[in-house]
Amino acid sequence: MSSKLIGPALSRVDGRLKVTGKATYAAEYNPPGMVYAAIVQSTVPRGSVLRMQTTEAERAPGVLAVLTPRNTPKLPGADKYVANPIMPRLAAMQDSEVLYNGQPIGVVVADSFERATHAASLVRTFYVEKPAALDIEAGFASAEPAPGNFGAPPPGHTRGDVTAALAAASTRVDATYTTPTENHNPMEPHAAIAVWDDAEHLTLYDANQGVHFVRMFLSQLFGLVPDNVRIISRYVGGGFGCKALPWSHSILSVLAAKAVGRPVKLVLTRQQMFSLVGYRPQTIQKVELAANAQGKLTALRHTGFSETSEKDGFSEPFTNTSNMLYACPNVHTSQKVVRLNAGTPTFMRGPGESPGTFALESALDELAHSLKMDPLELRRINHADKDPEHNRPWTSKSLLECYRVGAERFGWKKRPLQPRATRDGEVLIGSGMATALFPAMRFPCVAVTRVLADGSAVVQCAAADIGTGAYTVFAQVAADALGLPLEKVRMELGDTTLPLGPLAGGSASTASASPAIQSASTQARQQLVKLAIEDTGSPLHGLAAQDVLAENGRLLSRKDKNKGETYAQILARKQLPHVEGKADSTPTPPDQQKHSGYAFGAHFVEVRVDEALGTVRISRFVTSMAAGRILNAKTARSQILGGVIFGLGMALTEETLRDPRLGRVMTADLADYHLPVHADVPDIDVHFVEEMDPHVNAMGIKGIGEIGTTGVAAAVANAVFHATGKRVRELPITLDKLL
Ligand code: MOS
């Protein structure tokens, strides 16, 4: 690999398309005859729909159809769909049961979005109400063991004897931490346009994080042959986990399109983003730690609860990081879920890791305080040199270097050990740190590279670019392997007619697709070499393959760089339309791997807390990350910036509140759900520690989409403690908690 294309801070290849409005997002297609749908939502948390008065809506101008639980067609694969533990059971109005406030109970189709929305407001619904479960604490006694999501094992781990070790310890922490319900707020709300090409063929333009993943569920649900379902999602305005699975609007758009015999567009409003798609469930976590006088951890117990919906299982696996982050001989983790009348939760950036590290990394800070030890030193002392959960080596780990570099850039040495030691008038200043981590995962992936007659290349893979820069880094990988300038490579992503691509989730997209793209592109280049050296008409005829270089769209002799020809010339002489390489980089299952792969990092943060007002301002933020090979310094930095800002929202402002009597989300817009804005975010110093990982995958790539968020909330809470002497164990750290 040359260093020219792999690594540098290159701008996005699709940047111009995006800023000029030429990148087409899901809601921007206009199939002929398209009409518009609006969803009617329940206004009670539990019960059943007794009757819906739809006449007024049906008579409203432009209305083509009103679907209710009574007349919605049955889905052939609904049972299979329902059986999936993390699908919204009642997403598609298959019966009249109401399980949460805001559940879809009707769809109005009209000739404009405005008319559909207006008519939806005219539908009157009468319910038989039933008592609802809305309080997570009231559900502790009847909580169930947490399920694993999507076939993952249920969270939980035991090694050693944690009870005995806790009893024997001289220094202990025993604290409960809570994180609220949170909602994803990508810039682009969910959107779908459903087109029935005929009775058996469906096309869905859909904002999602992985077209093949969405197709798998929709084809099951509608009883269609997967190959007859085409999902198109070429540009996506942010995902964060909520666009991983298809939610009600995607399914309902397909049902509505069938009902009216025309393409149907269904776009969620910002408000509907808080009830019609999943969310991060609230957690209540208890962490117990014990250490000896030198600060060596002797026991770690991490247990707790997260919420889920009445009938669907989804657990926020917040204890996973406690199993492996520190060397500790006695560990026990287990989790339960409480069923509430709320929508079904789902993955949200660092699912498990983000809330889990808030608890664990806060508890570590509390332990350091009890031991009168520097919290960074405590983490160094407990560094896990191998994975203590699976008792196997890491693919690579540069966490100690992240600690060192981060501390140096931050100036951690100058930090006083005691809290409340620094003030600037009314403002208390403190600093805190936390460890960040995320598993290095991969999904199956196939890529096809073609070098075309004009000497340019097209690379196909049904991966997704959800705003992360995937188009750019994939093009870099291909161009590098092909010996082409970046602008001569065209990436095609986000369409199920392309070869199987990974979900842009689990921080796994780049690591999944890049090795396949590299291998497919290398094969295409090797075919060009073969064509040239075997052809008496080529100036390279007779050379050994290893004596041929590929540069700037030309093959040339290593020994005599004046001797060569272009890819276009080679193909023209052979009268070939293209050469093609194809590669499959499907990974080995995690349980068969010999190493454990994780990206690690460290956050260092300085806060300024107004003592009179309780307001917290972030004044400095340094983050150092070791995540294997970095393909593009600019897009990678942007990923970490975005991740950290996501974490700052989690730390200080984000909280979804439901009405305790009706279970309706009360913070269902960006005025009430507080995301960090520019004024809340300081200049963030992002540093990547160089890391060559020989084991994690063929290119040594780990993910960077989620790690930036993990640990941030704890680093902020720890800094707030250091500034004020107040330990806030309940996110978000709003001013009322500091007064
Ligand atoms: Mo991400 S929460 O794994 O889509």
Side-chain angles (χ1 to χ4, degrees):
M1 268 172 276
S2 79
S3 55
K4 265 194 243 139
L5 281 168
I6 303 289
L10 301 179
S11 291
R12 287 158 193 253
V13 297
D14 52 344
R16 176 171 286 273
L17 286 180
K18 286 187 169 177
V19 298
T20 54
K22 293 204 176 89
T24 313
Y25 289 78
E28 298 181 316
Y29 291 86
N30 275 302
M34 184 174 75
V35 291
Y36 303 80
I39 295 181
V40 181
Q41 298 179 259
S42 72
T43 55
V44 302
R46 187 157 183 258
S48 58
V49 173
L50 180 66
R51 189 165 67 84
M52 288 173 83
Q53 203 169 290
T54 56
T55 323
E56 219 185 325
E58 280 155 5
R59 286 190 193 138
V63 170
L64 300 165
V66 179
L67 299 180
T68 68
R70 263 235 306 254
N71 65 356
T72 298
K74 292 292 169 250
L75 293 161
D79 290 343
K80 208 165 185 177
Y81 186 77
V82 170
N84 188 302
I86 58 169
M87 302 310 279
R89 180 177 175 272
L90 295 184
M93 306 175 350
Q94 296 294 291
D95 59 40
S96 55
E97 210 174 2
V98 173
L99 293 181
Y100 75 96
N101 201 324
Q103 179 187 310
I105 53 169
V107 175
V108 177
V109 187
D111 59 2
S112 78
F113 172 74
E114 292 76 10
R115 283 175 152 180
T117 303
H118 171 65
S121 76
L122 301 175
V123 174
R124 260 193 244 153
T125 307
F126 303 88
Y127 303 92
V128 177
E129 290 189 56
K130 285 191 201 145
L134 298 171
D135 177 4
I136 191 166
E137 290 186 22
F140 284 175
S142 57
E144 301 166 19
N149 304 320
F150 257 104
H157 171 72
T158 302
R159 62 177 182 264
D161 183 344
V162 82
T163 308
L166 281 169
S170 54
T171 309
R172 270 191 299 265
V173 168
D174 179 348
T176 298
Y177 304 89
T178 68
T179 65
T181 306
E182 292 161 354
N183 278 89
H184 323 67
N185 274 287
M187 264 203 279
E188 177 206 28
H190 288 243
I193 298 172
V195 186
W196 284 95
D197 305 309
D198 60 44
E200 298 292 321
H201 291 82
L202 172 69
T203 300
L204 187 74
Y205 302 91
D206 182 66
N208 65 56
Q209 296 176 220
V211 287
H212 276 106
F213 203 63
V214 166
R215 182 173 79 172
M216 177 171 77
F217 291 109
L218 288 187
S219 57
Q220 263 179 24
L221 194 53
F222 287 90
L224 295 170
V225 180
D227 278 347
N228 291 354
V229 177
R230 182 178 183 190
I231 313 285
I232 296 171
S233 182
R234 291 204 180 94
Y235 294 95
V236 183
F240 310 126
C242 62
K243 288 177 184 158
L245 300 163
W247 295 95
S248 54
H249 63 284
S250 298
I251 303 160
L252 292 172
S253 68
V254 177
L255 284 171
K258 188 120 214 174
V260 299
R262 292 168 73 165
V264 168
K265 182 197 281 200
L266 213 174
V267 180
L268 298 193
T269 63
R270 179 60 60 185
Q271 286 79 2
Q272 289 175 326
M273 292 290 293
F274 290 80
S275 49
L276 291 174
V277 303
Y279 55 90
R280 194 199 298 280
Q282 62 176 317
T283 72
I284 292 136
Q285 310 178 44
K286 184 174 163 70
V287 181
E288 295 160 89
L289 298 177
N292 66 20
Q294 290 74 46
K296 273 260 181 211
L297 282 171
T298 55
L300 191 174
R301 180 151 60 200
H302 190 172
T303 58
F305 304 88
S306 63
E307 67 188 326
T308 190
S309 57
E310 184 173 326
K311 302 229 169 143
D312 293 329
F314 176 87
S315 67
E316 180 82 14
F318 54 78
T319 56
N320 282 359
T321 52
S322 293
N323 301 341
M324 47 58 68
L325 185 50
Y326 295 108
C328 177
N330 304 296
V331 173
H332 176 76
T333 63
S334 66
Q335 291 187 218
K336 290 185 166 177
V337 288
V338 174
R339 295 197 176 278
L340 295 181
N341 292 104
T344 298
T346 194
F347 307 106
M348 181 165 165
R349 206 170 195 169
E353 292 82 3
S354 294
T357 51
F358 169 62
L360 177 64
E361 290 292 292
S362 292
L364 257 283
D365 200 69
E366 299 206 41
L367 181 65
H369 183 68
S370 301
L371 290 162
K372 298 189 173 37
M373 184 179 273
D374 176 77
L376 176 57
E377 188 54 24
L378 179 66
R379 285 164 174 88
R380 284 202 186 102
I381 288 172
N382 290 292
H383 181 265
D385 298 333
K386 62 176 182 178
D387 173 4
E389 180 183 11
H390 299 101
N391 194 29
R392 62 190 181 195
W394 308 105
T395 58
S396 65
K397 184 177 184 182
S398 312
L399 179 56
L400 291 171
E401 183 63 4
C402 293
Y403 288 151
R404 190 190 68 75
V405 177
E408 193 178 292
R409 294 171 86 94
F410 185 80
W412 185 259
K413 243 192 358 235
K414 295 191 287 249
R415 177 186 187 265
L417 191 60
Q418 274 309 308
R420 283 187 79 86
T422 313
R423 80 163 50 232
D424 173 7
E426 286 279 289
V427 175
L428 298 165
I429 302 171
S431 48
M433 59 82 53
T435 307
L437 78 162
F438 200 80
M441 295 188 272
R442 281 201 295 152
F443 295 112
C445 179
V446 178
V448 170
T449 298
R450 283 191 200 101
V451 177
L452 308 175
D454 67 359
S456 72
V458 58
V459 181
Q460 299 184 320
C461 173
D465 187 329
I466 58 172
T468 52
Y471 274 109
T472 309
V473 298
F474 294 160
Q476 289 174 247
V477 170
D480 179 68
L482 286 164
L484 278 176
L486 190 58
E487 60 275 11
K488 291 279 186 192
V489 174
R490 185 163 50 90
M491 290 303 310
E492 291 183 5
L493 308 176
D495 187 331
T496 47
T497 56
L498 302 170
L500 175 72
L503 181 73
S507 297
S509 168
T510 306
S512 303
S514 300
I517 290 168
Q518 186 186 53
S519 170
S521 303
T522 302
Q523 286 173 33
R525 187 196 70 219
Q526 286 166 343
Q527 286 178 41
L528 288 167
V529 171
K530 189 161 182 285
L531 286 175
I533 62 182
E534 287 177 359
D535 186 343
T536 51
S538 169
L540 302 169
H541 177 249
L543 287 181
Q546 66 269 25
D547 290 331
V548 179
L549 293 177
E551 262 179 37
N552 213 12
R554 281 170 62 85
L555 294 183
L556 40 98
S557 161
R558 190 181 291 274
K559 289 177 188 135
D560 176 4
K561 292 202 174 183
N562 292 318
K563 218 159 85 177
E565 59 179 338
T566 64
Y567 300 167
Q569 285 171 323
I570 297 167
L571 290 167
R573 201 174 45 247
K574 287 284 177 190
Q575 292 184 305
L576 288 171
H578 62 254
V579 288
E580 180 180 298
K582 181 173 182 176
D584 182 336
S585 64
T586 298
T588 2
D591 55 356
Q592 289 169 28
Q593 288 163 7
K594 294 195 187 74
H595 299 84
S596 294
Y598 283 82
F600 291 95
H603 302 298
F604 296 84
V605 58
E606 181 190 82
V607 297
R608 298 172 65 93
V609 183
D610 187 304
E611 198 178 14
L613 300 175
T615 49
V616 179
R617 309 294 305 170
I618 309 291
S619 42
R620 291 197 296 130
F621 205 110
V622 174
T623 181
S624 60
M625 293 280 149
R629 185 189 299 274
I630 298 303
L631 298 177
N632 181 326
K634 187 174 182 179
T635 56
R637 174 174 179 270
S638 295
Q639 279 294 287
I640 301 301
L641 286 180
V644 168
I645 296 166
F646 211 90
L648 293 178
M650 182 176 179
L652 296 176
T653 56
E654 290 187 47
E655 179 172 29
T656 301
L657 294 169
R658 297 190 200 106
D659 181 302
R661 298 154 305 161
L662 291 170
R664 193 177 307 171
V665 174
M666 300 183 294
T667 51
D669 57 50
L670 296 183
D672 293 315
Y673 187 88
H674 298 148
L675 295 172
V677 297
H678 282 300
D680 298 321
V681 181
D683 188 25
I684 297 168
D685 175 19
V686 178
H687 179 79
F688 286 101
V689 167
E690 237 178 84
E691 188 177 64
M692 291 296 152
D693 189 316
H695 300 294
V696 71
N697 51 59
M699 292 184 70
I701 298 167
K702 296 176 180 176
I704 49 174
E706 287 160 283
I707 183 171
T709 302
T710 71
V712 172
V716 172
N718 297 343
V720 167
F721 173 76
H722 188 242
T724 64
K726 278 190 188 148
R727 176 65 60 181
V728 180
R729 300 189 181 93
E730 200 180 320
L731 292 182
I733 307 170
T734 45
L735 51 83
D736 51 300
K737 293 168 190 165
L738 288 169
L739 294 176

